[in-house]
Amino acid sequence: MPIWKGIILGIIQGAAEFLPVSSSGHLIIVREILGVDLENGGVFFDVMLHLGTLLAIFVAFWNDIKKLFKEGVHICIDAAANLFTMVRNCFSKEKRKYRRVVRSSYRKMVMLLIVSTIPTGIMGILLSDVIEASNSIILVPGICLLVTALFLVIADLAEPGKKRPKDVTYTNAALVGVAQGLATMPGVSRSGTTITACILCGYDKKFAVKYSFIMSIPAVLGAAILELKDFGDLTLSNADIISCAIATAVAAIVGYLSICFMMRLVRGKKYKYFAIYCAVVGAVAIGYYFI
């Protein structure tokens, strides 16, 4: 694949992954238009593009991710200590107190992210065959972009909430996880769908965007691990490797800029503009399919 095509795909991945317009849907449409053939190494290229945007998330939210990881380790330690205490109390007259595991906002957020990831993972596995078949049909992302437009209109119409981690219920987190699972379909924006779900569950808007982006980390890593099985017979030329590396770097840089833009965008009701854009692109994709 020529380097210039790789750069275009990297820009699209970096921008569309975090703007509520669906990166997967746009990649399918642009590949069709540019005549990009990724039959050999296509899965590897997709994984690398997603890892590029994953890097952007780590850079943008490094302080939060570092604290979440630290508190996640402490949760495991406290849970293990409570298990030991439970066993000890069974054989001792002197009953020891259990440690309070979820005792800070970051610990609560770790638990919320775990709860959100479970339905996403289950739906990703159940819909894997459907997703794979949909990736080769431009009609599917066209229709799904119209669905994304509807979600974004709902996000603008919904009343903003005030929930921060301590106020969010595990049911809320599970529902957001289901929304992310639906967004595995090409053309359904992951960020747009999950931000809409967060807002409908009463999340504070700024926290909704941050939660949406950070919760994508386990989903992207999990998908990448599942795709490793397809890398066994991978054969790439030096030109393909260079194009892939450049596209990944471009996706990371553009992705970081998109995150910064989205964090500023949440202050007003501006998702309707993305809704219009998704509706137009979706309609064009559907029309292109029937031409």
Side-chain angles (χ1 to χ4, degrees):
M1 178 176 62
I3 292 177
W4 68 271
K5 290 186 178 181
I7 292 175
I8 290 176
L9 294 178
I11 292 173
I12 292 171
Q13 171 65 25
E17 178 68 20
F18 302 111
L19 300 180
V21 295
S22 176
S23 60
S24 59
H26 277 71
L27 286 174
I28 292 173
I29 293 170
V30 173
R31 284 173 184 167
E32 182 77 18
I33 294 173
L34 295 179
V36 176
D37 183 11
L38 290 176
E39 184 175 350
N40 181 31
V43 173
F44 176 76
F45 189 82
D46 282 345
V47 170
M48 291 305 297
L49 286 180
H50 279 88
L51 290 180
T53 48
L54 192 63
L55 176 61
I57 297 174
F58 273 93
V59 173
F61 299 109
W62 174 245
N63 288 332
D64 290 302
I65 293 170
K66 184 170 60 175
K67 291 177 182 177
L68 288 169
F69 179 78
K70 179 181 177 181
E71 294 303 328
V73 172
H74 288 163
I75 285 174
C76 294
I77 294 173
D78 285 348
N82 284 342
L83 181 61
F84 177 78
T85 299
M86 183 183 69
V87 174
R88 190 179 186 280
N89 287 345
C90 290
F91 300 96
S92 174
K93 293 182 179 180
E94 182 184 355
K95 305 300 181 182
R96 291 195 174 186
K97 292 183 178 180
Y98 293 100
R99 297 183 184 182
R100 185 182 175 189
V101 178
V102 182
R103 57 174 184 263
S104 69
S105 292
Y106 276 101
R107 289 199 179 196
K108 177 67 176 295
M109 189 169 173
V110 170
M111 299 304 297
L112 292 172
L113 289 169
I114 292 172
V115 172
S116 291
T117 300
I118 293 172
T120 297
I122 293 173
M123 293 178 68
I125 293 172
L126 294 177
L127 295 174
S128 59
D129 291 338
V130 176
I131 296 168
E132 185 176 352
S134 301
N135 283 332
S136 59
I137 306 173
I138 196 173
L139 176 64
V140 175
I143 295 173
C144 289
L145 280 167
L146 298 182
V147 174
T148 295
L150 176 61
F151 286 155
L152 295 176
V153 170
I154 293 173
D156 257 359
L157 294 176
E159 289 297 322
K162 297 182 179 179
K163 288 184 179 179
R164 305 291 292 179
K166 65 177 182 178
D167 309 308
V168 177
T169 67
Y170 293 114
T171 301
N172 293 153
L175 291 173
V176 175
V178 171
Q180 182 170 245
L182 292 173
T184 54
M185 290 297 295
V188 178
S189 168
R190 195 205 62 79
S191 62
T193 303
T194 52
I195 290 172
T196 299
C198 286
I199 292 174
L200 291 177
C201 288
Y203 284 45
D204 170 80
K205 274 194 170 183
K206 190 171 183 180
F207 176 60
V209 176
K210 179 186 291 188
Y211 189 84
S212 169
F213 292 160
I214 293 179
M215 75 179 287
S216 70
I217 294 175
V220 172
L221 288 177
I225 292 172
L226 289 176
E227 298 293 354
L228 288 177
K229 66 181 186 303
D230 296 323
F231 293 172
D233 301 325
L234 184 65
T235 55
L236 293 175
S237 65
N238 290 335
D240 287 335
I241 294 174
I242 293 173
S243 294
C244 184
I246 293 175
T248 301
V250 170
I253 295 170
V254 176
Y256 176 79
L257 296 175
S258 297
I259 290 174
C260 295
F261 176 74
M262 282 297 294
M263 293 304 292
R264 290 179 174 84
L265 184 70
V266 295
R267 297 170 186 169
K269 294 189 174 185
K270 300 178 181 178
Y271 291 118
K272 58 179 174 289
Y273 300 115
F274 290 103
I276 295 171
Y277 171 80
C278 288
V280 171
V281 175
V284 170
I286 294 171
Y288 183 86
Y289 175 80
F290 287 107
I291 292 177

Short mmCIF file of all heavy atoms in Angstrom, two decimals, residues 158-217:
data_model
loop_
_atom_site.label_atom_id
_atom_site.label_comp_id
_atom_site.label_asym_id
_atom_site.label_seq_id
_atom_site.Cartn_x
_atom_site.Cartn_y
_atom_site.Cartn_z
N ALA A 158 -30.77 15.37 25.46
CA ALA A 158 -30.82 14.89 26.84
C ALA A 158 -30.33 15.97 27.82
O ALA A 158 -29.43 16.73 27.51
CB ALA A 158 -29.97 13.63 26.99
N GLU A 159 -30.95 15.99 28.98
CA GLU A 159 -30.53 16.93 30.02
C GLU A 159 -29.20 16.48 30.62
O GLU A 159 -29.03 15.30 30.93
CB GLU A 159 -31.59 17.00 31.12
CG GLU A 159 -32.87 17.70 30.71
CD GLU A 159 -32.65 19.16 30.35
OE1 GLU A 159 -31.84 19.82 31.02
OE2 GLU A 159 -33.27 19.63 29.37
N PRO A 160 -28.24 17.40 30.77
CA PRO A 160 -26.94 17.03 31.34
C PRO A 160 -27.07 16.57 32.79
O PRO A 160 -27.87 17.12 33.55
CB PRO A 160 -26.13 18.32 31.23
CG PRO A 160 -27.14 19.42 31.19
CD PRO A 160 -28.33 18.84 30.48
N GLY A 161 -26.31 15.54 33.15
CA GLY A 161 -26.33 15.05 34.52
C GLY A 161 -25.16 15.59 35.32
O GLY A 161 -24.37 16.40 34.84
N LYS A 162 -25.06 15.13 36.55
CA LYS A 162 -23.99 15.60 37.44
C LYS A 162 -23.23 14.44 38.08
O LYS A 162 -22.43 14.64 38.99
CB LYS A 162 -24.58 16.49 38.53
CG LYS A 162 -25.22 17.77 38.00
CD LYS A 162 -25.75 18.62 39.15
CE LYS A 162 -26.38 19.91 38.62
NZ LYS A 162 -26.93 20.76 39.72
N LYS A 163 -23.49 13.21 37.62
CA LYS A 163 -22.87 12.06 38.26
C LYS A 163 -21.37 11.98 38.01
O LYS A 163 -20.93 12.08 36.86
CB LYS A 163 -23.52 10.76 37.76
CG LYS A 163 -24.93 10.52 38.28
CD LYS A 163 -25.44 9.18 37.81
CE LYS A 163 -26.84 8.89 38.33
NZ LYS A 163 -27.34 7.58 37.84
N ARG A 164 -20.62 11.83 39.08
CA ARG A 164 -19.21 11.52 39.04
C ARG A 164 -19.05 10.07 39.50
O ARG A 164 -20.06 9.42 39.82
CB ARG A 164 -18.44 12.49 39.95
CG ARG A 164 -18.66 13.96 39.64
CD ARG A 164 -18.06 14.39 38.33
NE ARG A 164 -16.59 14.33 38.39
CZ ARG A 164 -15.80 14.62 37.37
NH1 ARG A 164 -16.33 14.97 36.20
NH2 ARG A 164 -14.49 14.56 37.49
N PRO A 165 -17.84 9.52 39.54
CA PRO A 165 -17.69 8.10 39.89
C PRO A 165 -18.45 7.65 41.13
O PRO A 165 -19.08 6.59 41.12
CB PRO A 165 -16.17 7.97 40.08
CG PRO A 165 -15.60 8.98 39.16
CD PRO A 165 -16.55 10.14 39.19
N LYS A 166 -18.43 8.45 42.20
CA LYS A 166 -19.08 8.01 43.45
C LYS A 166 -20.60 7.90 43.31
O LYS A 166 -21.25 7.18 44.07
CB LYS A 166 -18.73 8.98 44.58
CG LYS A 166 -19.28 10.38 44.39
CD LYS A 166 -18.95 11.28 45.59
CE LYS A 166 -19.57 12.67 45.41
NZ LYS A 166 -19.30 13.54 46.59
N ASP A 167 -21.16 8.62 42.32
CA ASP A 167 -22.62 8.63 42.14
C ASP A 167 -23.10 7.62 41.11
O ASP A 167 -24.30 7.30 41.06
CB ASP A 167 -23.08 10.03 41.72
CG ASP A 167 -22.56 11.12 42.63
OD1 ASP A 167 -22.75 10.99 43.85
OD2 ASP A 167 -21.97 12.10 42.13
N VAL A 168 -22.20 7.15 40.25
CA VAL A 168 -22.58 6.23 39.17
C VAL A 168 -22.82 4.84 39.74
O VAL A 168 -22.03 4.33 40.54
CB VAL A 168 -21.46 6.17 38.10
CG1 VAL A 168 -21.83 5.17 37.01
CG2 VAL A 168 -21.24 7.55 37.48
N THR A 169 -23.93 4.22 39.33
CA THR A 169 -24.24 2.86 39.80
C THR A 169 -23.61 1.83 38.87
O THR A 169 -23.26 2.14 37.72
CB THR A 169 -25.75 2.64 39.86
OG1 THR A 169 -26.28 2.65 38.52
CG2 THR A 169 -26.44 3.72 40.68
N TYR A 170 -23.51 0.61 39.35
CA TYR A 170 -22.95 -0.45 38.52
C TYR A 170 -23.91 -0.82 37.39
O TYR A 170 -23.48 -1.29 36.34
CB TYR A 170 -22.63 -1.67 39.38
CG TYR A 170 -21.49 -1.40 40.35
CD1 TYR A 170 -21.70 -1.40 41.72
CD2 TYR A 170 -20.21 -1.12 39.88
CE1 TYR A 170 -20.67 -1.12 42.61
CE2 TYR A 170 -19.17 -0.84 40.76
CZ TYR A 170 -19.40 -0.84 42.12
OH TYR A 170 -18.38 -0.57 42.98
N THR A 171 -25.19 -0.57 37.61
CA THR A 171 -26.17 -0.77 36.53
C THR A 171 -25.90 0.23 35.40
O THR A 171 -25.96 -0.13 34.21
CB THR A 171 -27.60 -0.59 37.04
OG1 THR A 171 -27.86 -1.54 38.09
CG2 THR A 171 -28.62 -0.80 35.92
N ASN A 172 -25.62 1.48 35.77
CA ASN A 172 -25.24 2.49 34.77
C ASN A 172 -24.04 2.03 33.97
O ASN A 172 -24.03 2.11 32.73
CB ASN A 172 -24.89 3.81 35.45
CG ASN A 172 -26.05 4.49 36.13
OD1 ASN A 172 -25.87 5.24 37.09
ND2 ASN A 172 -27.26 4.25 35.67
N ALA A 173 -23.02 1.53 34.66
CA ALA A 173 -21.80 1.09 33.99
C ALA A 173 -22.07 -0.07 33.05
O ALA A 173 -21.51 -0.13 31.94
CB ALA A 173 -20.76 0.68 35.04
N ALA A 174 -22.95 -1.00 33.46
CA ALA A 174 -23.28 -2.15 32.61
C ALA A 174 -23.99 -1.69 31.34
O ALA A 174 -23.72 -2.19 30.25
CB ALA A 174 -24.14 -3.14 33.38
N LEU A 175 -24.91 -0.73 31.48
CA LEU A 175 -25.64 -0.22 30.31
C LEU A 175 -24.69 0.48 29.33
O LEU A 175 -24.83 0.34 28.11
CB LEU A 175 -26.73 0.75 30.76
CG LEU A 175 -27.91 0.13 31.53
CD1 LEU A 175 -28.83 1.21 32.06
CD2 LEU A 175 -28.67 -0.84 30.63
N VAL A 176 -23.71 1.22 29.86
CA VAL A 176 -22.72 1.87 28.99
C VAL A 176 -21.88 0.81 28.29
O VAL A 176 -21.51 0.96 27.12
CB VAL A 176 -21.82 2.82 29.81
CG1 VAL A 176 -20.71 3.39 28.94
CG2 VAL A 176 -22.66 3.96 30.40
N GLY A 177 -21.59 -0.29 28.99
CA GLY A 177 -20.86 -1.40 28.39
C GLY A 177 -21.63 -2.05 27.25
O GLY A 177 -21.05 -2.42 26.23
N VAL A 178 -22.95 -2.16 27.42
CA VAL A 178 -23.80 -2.70 26.35
C VAL A 178 -23.74 -1.77 25.14
O VAL A 178 -23.67 -2.22 23.99
CB VAL A 178 -25.26 -2.87 26.84
CG1 VAL A 178 -26.18 -3.20 25.67
CG2 VAL A 178 -25.33 -3.95 27.90
N ALA A 179 -23.78 -0.46 25.40
CA ALA A 179 -23.70 0.52 24.31
C ALA A 179 -22.38 0.38 23.55
O ALA A 179 -22.35 0.44 22.32
CB ALA A 179 -23.83 1.94 24.87
N GLN A 180 -21.29 0.16 24.29
CA GLN A 180 -20.00 -0.03 23.62
C GLN A 180 -19.99 -1.33 22.82
O GLN A 180 -19.37 -1.40 21.76
CB GLN A 180 -18.86 -0.04 24.65
CG GLN A 180 -17.49 -0.18 24.00
CD GLN A 180 -16.36 0.06 24.98
OE1 GLN A 180 -15.61 1.00 24.85
NE2 GLN A 180 -16.23 -0.81 25.97
N GLY A 181 -20.69 -2.34 23.32
CA GLY A 181 -20.79 -3.60 22.57
C GLY A 181 -21.52 -3.40 21.25
O GLY A 181 -21.12 -3.96 20.22
N LEU A 182 -22.57 -2.60 21.24
CA LEU A 182 -23.30 -2.31 20.00
C LEU A 182 -22.40 -1.55 19.01
O LEU A 182 -22.55 -1.69 17.79
CB LEU A 182 -24.54 -1.46 20.31
CG LEU A 182 -25.66 -2.15 21.10
CD1 LEU A 182 -26.74 -1.13 21.46
CD2 LEU A 182 -26.26 -3.30 20.30
N ALA A 183 -21.47 -0.78 19.55
CA ALA A 183 -20.60 0.04 18.70
C ALA A 183 -19.51 -0.77 18.02
O ALA A 183 -18.70 -0.21 17.28
CB ALA A 183 -19.96 1.15 19.54
N THR A 184 -19.49 -2.09 18.23
CA THR A 184 -18.55 -2.92 17.47
C THR A 184 -18.99 -3.06 16.02
O THR A 184 -18.19 -3.46 15.16
CB THR A 184 -18.42 -4.33 18.11
OG1 THR A 184 -19.72 -4.91 18.24
CG2 THR A 184 -17.78 -4.24 19.48
N MET A 185 -20.24 -2.73 15.75
CA MET A 185 -20.71 -2.74 14.37
C MET A 185 -20.11 -1.56 13.61
O MET A 185 -20.09 -0.44 14.11
CB MET A 185 -22.24 -2.65 14.32
CG MET A 185 -22.96 -3.88 14.82
SD MET A 185 -22.62 -5.33 13.80
CE MET A 185 -23.37 -4.85 12.25
N PRO A 186 -19.57 -1.81 12.40
CA PRO A 186 -18.95 -0.72 11.63
C PRO A 186 -19.96 0.36 11.27
O PRO A 186 -21.02 0.06 10.72
CB PRO A 186 -18.43 -1.43 10.38
CG PRO A 186 -19.26 -2.67 10.26
CD PRO A 186 -19.56 -3.08 11.67
N GLY A 187 -19.63 1.59 11.62
CA GLY A 187 -20.53 2.70 11.34
C GLY A 187 -21.23 3.22 12.57
O GLY A 187 -21.68 4.37 12.59
N VAL A 188 -21.30 2.40 13.62
CA VAL A 188 -21.85 2.86 14.89
C VAL A 188 -20.68 3.43 15.69
O VAL A 188 -19.77 2.70 16.07
CB VAL A 188 -22.53 1.72 15.68
CG1 VAL A 188 -23.04 2.25 17.02
CG2 VAL A 188 -23.67 1.12 14.88
N SER A 189 -20.68 4.73 15.91
CA SER A 189 -19.56 5.38 16.59
C SER A 189 -19.44 4.90 18.03
O SER A 189 -20.41 4.98 18.80
CB SER A 189 -19.76 6.90 16.58
OG SER A 189 -18.85 7.53 17.46
N ARG A 190 -18.25 4.41 18.39
CA ARG A 190 -18.04 3.94 19.76
C ARG A 190 -18.14 5.11 20.73
O ARG A 190 -18.86 5.05 21.73
CB ARG A 190 -16.68 3.26 19.88
CG ARG A 190 -16.50 2.43 21.16
CD ARG A 190 -15.06 2.30 21.55
NE ARG A 190 -14.49 3.60 21.83
CZ ARG A 190 -14.68 4.26 22.97
NH1 ARG A 190 -15.41 3.72 23.93
NH2 ARG A 190 -14.15 5.44 23.15
N SER A 191 -17.42 6.19 20.43
CA SER A 191 -17.44 7.34 21.34
C SER A 191 -18.83 7.97 21.38
O SER A 191 -19.34 8.32 22.46
CB SER A 191 -16.39 8.37 20.93
OG SER A 191 -16.64 8.88 19.63
N GLY A 192 -19.45 8.14 20.21
CA GLY A 192 -20.77 8.75 20.16
C GLY A 192 -21.81 7.94 20.93
O GLY A 192 -22.62 8.49 21.68
N THR A 193 -21.76 6.62 20.76
CA THR A 193 -22.73 5.74 21.43
C THR A 193 -22.52 5.70 22.93
O THR A 193 -23.47 5.80 23.71
CB THR A 193 -22.63 4.32 20.86
OG1 THR A 193 -22.84 4.36 19.44
CG2 THR A 193 -23.69 3.41 21.47
N THR A 194 -21.26 5.56 23.36
CA THR A 194 -21.00 5.45 24.79
C THR A 194 -21.19 6.80 25.50
O THR A 194 -21.69 6.82 26.64
CB THR A 194 -19.57 4.93 25.05
OG1 THR A 194 -18.62 5.74 24.33
CG2 THR A 194 -19.43 3.49 24.61
N ILE A 195 -20.82 7.90 24.85
CA ILE A 195 -21.06 9.22 25.46
C ILE A 195 -22.56 9.46 25.61
O ILE A 195 -23.02 9.96 26.64
CB ILE A 195 -20.40 10.33 24.63
CG1 ILE A 195 -18.87 10.25 24.75
CG2 ILE A 195 -20.88 11.71 25.09
CD1 ILE A 195 -18.13 11.18 23.81
N THR A 196 -23.33 9.09 24.58
CA THR A 196 -24.79 9.22 24.66
C THR A 196 -25.34 8.39 25.80
O THR A 196 -26.18 8.86 26.59
CB THR A 196 -25.45 8.79 23.34
OG1 THR A 196 -24.99 9.61 22.27
CG2 THR A 196 -26.97 8.89 23.43
N ALA A 197 -24.86 7.14 25.93
CA ALA A 197 -25.32 6.26 27.02
C ALA A 197 -24.96 6.85 28.37
O ALA A 197 -25.77 6.81 29.32
CB ALA A 197 -24.69 4.88 26.86
N CYS A 198 -23.75 7.41 28.49
CA CYS A 198 -23.33 8.02 29.75
C CYS A 198 -24.23 9.20 30.11
O CYS A 198 -24.65 9.34 31.27
CB CYS A 198 -21.87 8.49 29.65
SG CYS A 198 -20.64 7.17 29.70
N ILE A 199 -24.51 10.05 29.12
CA ILE A 199 -25.35 11.22 29.37
C ILE A 199 -26.76 10.79 29.78
O ILE A 199 -27.36 11.36 30.71
CB ILE A 199 -25.39 12.12 28.12
CG1 ILE A 199 -24.01 12.76 27.89
CG2 ILE A 199 -26.45 13.20 28.27
CD1 ILE A 199 -23.89 13.55 26.60
N LEU A 200 -27.31 9.77 29.12
CA LEU A 200 -28.65 9.28 29.47
C LEU A 200 -28.67 8.67 30.86
O LEU A 200 -29.72 8.65 31.52
CB LEU A 200 -29.11 8.25 28.43
CG LEU A 200 -29.43 8.80 27.04
CD1 LEU A 200 -29.80 7.65 26.09
CD2 LEU A 200 -30.56 9.81 27.09
N CYS A 201 -27.52 8.16 31.31
CA CYS A 201 -27.42 7.60 32.66
C CYS A 201 -27.13 8.66 33.71
O CYS A 201 -26.97 8.33 34.89
CB CYS A 201 -26.34 6.51 32.70
SG CYS A 201 -26.78 4.98 31.86
N GLY A 202 -27.02 9.93 33.27
CA GLY A 202 -26.84 11.02 34.22
C GLY A 202 -25.42 11.41 34.52
O GLY A 202 -25.16 12.16 35.47
N TYR A 203 -24.46 10.92 33.71
CA TYR A 203 -23.06 11.29 33.94
C TYR A 203 -22.87 12.79 33.70
O TYR A 203 -23.52 13.39 32.85
CB TYR A 203 -22.14 10.56 32.97
CG TYR A 203 -21.87 9.10 33.25
CD1 TYR A 203 -22.89 8.22 33.58
CD2 TYR A 203 -20.59 8.57 33.13
CE1 TYR A 203 -22.65 6.87 33.79
CE2 TYR A 203 -20.34 7.23 33.34
CZ TYR A 203 -21.38 6.38 33.68
OH TYR A 203 -21.14 5.05 33.89
N ASP A 204 -21.95 13.39 34.45
CA ASP A 204 -21.44 14.72 34.13
C ASP A 204 -20.82 14.65 32.74
O ASP A 204 -20.13 13.68 32.41
CB ASP A 204 -20.40 15.13 35.17
CG ASP A 204 -19.64 16.38 34.78
OD1 ASP A 204 -20.18 17.47 34.97
OD2 ASP A 204 -18.50 16.23 34.29
N LYS A 205 -21.05 15.66 31.91
CA LYS A 205 -20.64 15.59 30.50
C LYS A 205 -19.13 15.40 30.33
O LYS A 205 -18.69 14.57 29.53
CB LYS A 205 -21.08 16.85 29.76
CG LYS A 205 -22.49 16.77 29.21
CD LYS A 205 -22.74 17.89 28.21
CE LYS A 205 -24.06 17.68 27.48
NZ LYS A 205 -24.28 18.71 26.45
N LYS A 206 -18.33 16.14 31.09
CA LYS A 206 -16.89 16.02 30.96
C LYS A 206 -16.42 14.64 31.42
O LYS A 206 -15.56 14.01 30.78
CB LYS A 206 -16.19 17.11 31.76
CG LYS A 206 -14.70 17.21 31.49
CD LYS A 206 -14.09 18.44 32.15
CE LYS A 206 -12.61 18.55 31.80
NZ LYS A 206 -12.00 19.76 32.43
N PHE A 207 -17.01 14.15 32.49
CA PHE A 207 -16.67 12.81 32.96
C PHE A 207 -17.13 11.75 31.98
O PHE A 207 -16.47 10.72 31.79
CB PHE A 207 -17.29 12.56 34.34
CG PHE A 207 -17.06 11.17 34.85
CD1 PHE A 207 -15.78 10.68 35.06
CD2 PHE A 207 -18.14 10.32 35.10
CE1 PHE A 207 -15.56 9.38 35.51
CE2 PHE A 207 -17.94 9.03 35.56
CZ PHE A 207 -16.65 8.55 35.77
N ALA A 208 -18.27 12.00 31.31
CA ALA A 208 -18.78 11.06 30.32
C ALA A 208 -17.78 10.85 29.19
O ALA A 208 -17.53 9.72 28.75
CB ALA A 208 -20.11 11.54 29.76
N VAL A 209 -17.18 11.95 28.71
CA VAL A 209 -16.20 11.85 27.62
C VAL A 209 -14.95 11.11 28.10
O VAL A 209 -14.45 10.22 27.42
CB VAL A 209 -15.83 13.25 27.10
CG1 VAL A 209 -14.73 13.15 26.05
CG2 VAL A 209 -17.06 13.92 26.50
N LYS A 210 -14.46 11.48 29.27
CA LYS A 210 -13.26 10.82 29.82
C LYS A 210 -13.52 9.33 30.03
O LYS A 210 -12.70 8.49 29.67
CB LYS A 210 -12.85 11.47 31.14
CG LYS A 210 -11.64 10.83 31.79
CD LYS A 210 -11.34 11.40 33.16
CE LYS A 210 -10.85 12.81 33.09
NZ LYS A 210 -10.38 13.30 34.42
N TYR A 211 -14.67 9.00 30.60
CA TYR A 211 -15.02 7.60 30.86
C TYR A 211 -15.12 6.82 29.55
O TYR A 211 -14.63 5.70 29.45
CB TYR A 211 -16.34 7.52 31.62
CG TYR A 211 -16.69 6.13 32.12
CD1 TYR A 211 -16.18 5.67 33.31
CD2 TYR A 211 -17.52 5.29 31.38
CE1 TYR A 211 -16.47 4.40 33.78
CE2 TYR A 211 -17.83 4.02 31.84
CZ TYR A 211 -17.31 3.57 33.04
OH TYR A 211 -17.60 2.30 33.49
N SER A 212 -15.73 7.44 28.54
CA SER A 212 -15.89 6.79 27.25
C SER A 212 -14.53 6.43 26.64
O SER A 212 -14.35 5.32 26.11
CB SER A 212 -16.66 7.71 26.29
OG SER A 212 -16.61 7.23 24.97
N PHE A 213 -13.58 7.35 26.71
CA PHE A 213 -12.28 7.11 26.10
C PHE A 213 -11.46 6.09 26.89
O PHE A 213 -10.85 5.19 26.31
CB PHE A 213 -11.50 8.42 25.98
CG PHE A 213 -12.10 9.39 24.99
CD1 PHE A 213 -11.80 10.74 25.05
CD2 PHE A 213 -12.97 8.95 24.00
CE1 PHE A 213 -12.34 11.64 24.13
CE2 PHE A 213 -13.52 9.84 23.09
CZ PHE A 213 -13.21 11.18 23.16
N ILE A 214 -11.46 6.21 28.21
CA ILE A 214 -10.66 5.28 29.02
C ILE A 214 -11.23 3.88 28.98
O ILE A 214 -10.49 2.89 28.96
CB ILE A 214 -10.56 5.79 30.48
CG1 ILE A 214 -9.74 7.09 30.51
CG2 ILE A 214 -9.92 4.74 31.38
CD1 ILE A 214 -9.60 7.70 31.90
N MET A 215 -12.57 3.75 28.91
CA MET A 215 -13.16 2.41 28.88
C MET A 215 -12.88 1.67 27.58
O MET A 215 -13.07 0.46 27.49
CB MET A 215 -14.67 2.49 29.12
CG MET A 215 -15.48 3.01 27.94
SD MET A 215 -17.26 3.04 28.26
CE MET A 215 -17.67 1.30 28.20
N SER A 216 -12.38 2.39 26.57
CA SER A 216 -12.04 1.73 25.31
C SER A 216 -10.73 0.95 25.41
O SER A 216 -10.46 0.09 24.57
CB SER A 216 -11.94 2.76 24.18
OG SER A 216 -10.80 3.58 24.33
N ILE A 217 -9.91 1.24 26.43
CA ILE A 217 -8.60 0.60 26.54
C ILE A 217 -8.71 -0.92 26.63
O ILE A 217 -8.10 -1.64 25.83
CB ILE A 217 -7.81 1.18 27.73
CG1 ILE A 217 -7.47 2.65 27.47
CG2 ILE A 217 -6.53 0.37 27.98
CD1 ILE A 217 -6.80 3.33 28.65
#
